[in-house]
Amino acid sequence: MAHPITPLSPPLKDELDIVIPTIRNLDFLEMWRPFLQPYHLIIVQDGDPTKVINVPDGFDYELYNRNDVNRVLGPKASCISFKDSACRCFGFLVSKKKYIFTIDDDCFVAKDPSGKEINALAQHIQNLLTPSTPLFFNTLYDPYREGADFVRGYPFSLREGVSTAISHGLWLNIPDYDAPTQLVKPRERNTSSHRYVDAVMTIPKGTLFPMCGMNLAFDRELIGPAMYFGLMGDGQPIGRYDDMWAGWCAKVICDHLNLGVKTGLPYIWHSKASNPFVNLKKEYKGIYWQEEIIPFFQSIVLSKECTTVQECYVELSKYVKEKLGSVDPYFQKLGDAMVTWIEAWEELNPPKEAAAAAEPKSVKKEEPSPKSK
């Protein structure tokens, strides 16, 4: 007698949260249903907390608005940006899972050159669960992919690689350009027939990169506390540098702690270009400041005593205030917010031993209680 086929459980179903920042109804999830429905969603509602956000039926989610952020974090809520997609990092903070995939609400399922729909999350998971090779570049790119390997001349002592902390995906259709580039190339599109690169590579140690938050996954246990998207948007002199800031901080810390960052596949379909004039207003200080910010990050040497992400991040915050404070007073405020973020992280994510020791004696702290479905 034939046994019924047991459906395969989606990979990491109980170990991964999907974080989505939004100001609108999440109809875009319909297209993602075949790939994302089995997973738990954390939706961070930006802007007006009284607005009702509709989520398609059948998704398991919790939704936090600004009132929830204030309730959960109290005075520490000042470190979470408002009216900017940087608010997504609140979702990283309250998640209890090992892995995070974060995606923007204008990103749809892309197709590869053969016309097959791309399961972006499955590729991110593959990237995170296989090692990275930041210490020596493999000319066939990711040696752990099927059909690839280490090339002749690659040292055997380095073939184990290191743990992968971050998987950075790319975009078809609308590229992630800054405002000046948008203005001079308003009609440029990235199509699968012209610009689809079937490759994943490790970003070498000592090399920074521009991290885009709209198609990104990471190992929260390995690098979570460094994934702070800064102070952006409402009341701040800068926007659209939230993911860049997190990427520069995280890469310096990954290099120090011997962790890997991959970029390349998977692609998503980025559906709409934001207004370049609005973007220019948000970005112009960043475009100017980054000429000093990048040399700053390139010169950072974290002390050997820093052995955890939190310790690295707090030390980095001191350097930010010390070295970038002279660029603009904003960096003093940002350095303070970085410390507040770590305090919030440790409050909501106590080390397992400390949490276990405290549990019987203390009254259980109020857990975030968002609108759940």
Side-chain angles (χ1 to χ4, degrees):
M1 175 182 151
H3 292 287
I5 295 168
T6 312
L8 282 172
S9 181
L12 304 181
K13 178 183 174 295
D14 300 318
E15 295 178 75
L16 183 142
D17 277 333
I18 298 169
V19 174
I20 305 166
T22 194
I23 54 168
R24 57 181 68 85
N25 292 336
L26 294 180
D27 305 333
F28 91 112
L29 284 171
E30 280 299 348
M31 193 181 192
W32 284 102
R33 191 181 287 277
F35 305 126
L36 303 189
Q37 188 169 347
Y39 297 87
H40 180 67
L41 312 180
I42 297 178
I43 299 158
V44 184
Q45 177 179 344
D46 199 13
D48 180 4
T50 62
K51 184 179 173 183
V52 176
I53 299 276
N54 291 319
V55 181
D57 288 342
F59 283 91
D60 167 41
Y61 70 91
E62 48 195 303
L63 187 149
Y64 296 90
N65 62 32
R66 191 68 204 188
N67 296 338
D68 300 311
V69 173
N70 293 336
R71 178 179 50 77
V72 172
L73 293 181
K76 294 188 181 76
S78 62
C79 74
I80 304 296
S81 300
F82 185 53
K83 294 191 177 168
D84 192 280
S85 65
C87 68
R88 82 177 78 226
C89 62
F90 179 77
F92 309 161
L93 201 57
V94 296
S95 169
K96 295 285 176 262
K97 306 281 175 65
K98 179 170 165 54
Y99 299 99
I100 296 281
F101 169 47
T102 184
I103 185 171
D104 284 6
D105 61 14
D106 62 349
C107 293
F108 295 93
V109 177
K111 290 182 176 173
D112 68 16
S114 73
K116 184 174 177 240
E117 291 197 330
I118 297 164
N119 183 346
L121 179 53
Q123 178 68 52
H124 275 302
I125 289 170
Q126 190 183 327
N127 292 350
L128 289 170
L129 295 185
T130 51
S132 293
T133 52
L135 302 177
F136 201 93
F137 191 81
N138 190 51
T139 50
L140 270 184
Y141 309 123
D142 188 345
Y144 305 101
R145 277 187 82 192
E146 205 175 319
D149 212 319
F150 291 98
V151 295
R152 183 170 55 88
Y154 201 101
F156 280 85
S157 58
L158 294 177
R159 292 190 183 195
E160 273 187 17
V162 304
S163 298
T164 302
I166 298 170
S167 170
H168 177 258
L170 299 174
W171 343 269
L172 293 177
N173 195 35
I174 309 285
D176 187 28
Y177 284 158
D178 54 35
T181 311
Q182 276 183 298
L183 285 164
V184 295
K185 293 181 162 183
R187 283 185 288 277
E188 184 156 297
R189 297 292 179 267
N190 190 19
T191 65
S192 59
S193 56
H194 295 108
R195 293 291 309 131
Y196 183 95
V197 180
D198 185 18
V200 177
M201 62 190 81
T202 298
I203 299 171
K205 184 172 182 171
T207 301
L208 293 170
F209 76 112
M211 187 174 83
C212 170
M214 68 175 135
N215 173 23
L216 180 72
F218 61 93
D219 185 321
R220 197 173 162 278
E221 288 178 7
L222 285 181
I223 199 63
M227 297 300 265
Y228 173 50
F229 277 46
L231 290 176
M232 302 281 150
D234 201 45
Q236 307 301 338
I238 185 174
R240 285 173 57 83
Y241 271 86
D242 51 332
D243 41 10
M244 301 292 136
W245 184 260
W248 298 328
C249 293
K251 184 60 166 68
V252 164
I253 292 171
C254 282
D255 287 352
H256 178 75
L257 296 176
N258 212 23
L259 298 169
V261 178
K262 290 181 182 177
T263 187
L265 302 180
Y267 282 94
I268 50 84
W269 177 270
H270 185 209
S271 66
K272 67 177 198 301
S274 44
N275 184 315
F277 296 101
V278 173
N279 289 350
L280 188 58
K281 202 173 170 185
K282 291 177 181 176
E283 286 173 4
Y284 84 97
K285 282 196 169 164
I287 291 169
Y288 177 63
W289 287 343
Q290 74 184 20
E291 300 306 321
E292 295 188 58
I293 295 171
I294 300 305
F296 160 76
F297 279 109
Q298 286 171 330
S299 69
I300 289 290
V301 179
L302 295 167
S303 59
K304 288 188 176 68
E305 289 70 41
C306 293
T307 56
T308 67
V309 176
Q310 284 96 319
E311 287 166 351
C312 291
Y313 204 74
V314 169
E315 181 164 287
L316 189 53
S317 76
K318 289 176 189 155
Y319 288 137
V320 167
K321 289 164 73 171
E322 201 180 291
K323 304 271 171 59
L324 292 177
S326 59
V327 174
D328 192 274
Y330 165 74
F331 290 99
Q332 296 287 349
K333 197 161 69 162
L334 179 55
D336 289 336
M338 291 166 74
V339 175
T340 304
W341 160 264
I342 292 295
E343 289 168 355
W345 186 279
E346 292 188 328
E347 197 175 297
L348 289 178
N349 302 278
K352 290 187 175 70
E353 313 81 69
E359 197 65 35
K361 293 172 236 164
S362 62
V363 179
K364 199 166 185 303
K365 197 166 82 255
E366 185 195 352
E367 285 288 310
S369 55
K371 295 88 189 146
S372 295
K373 184 75 184 262

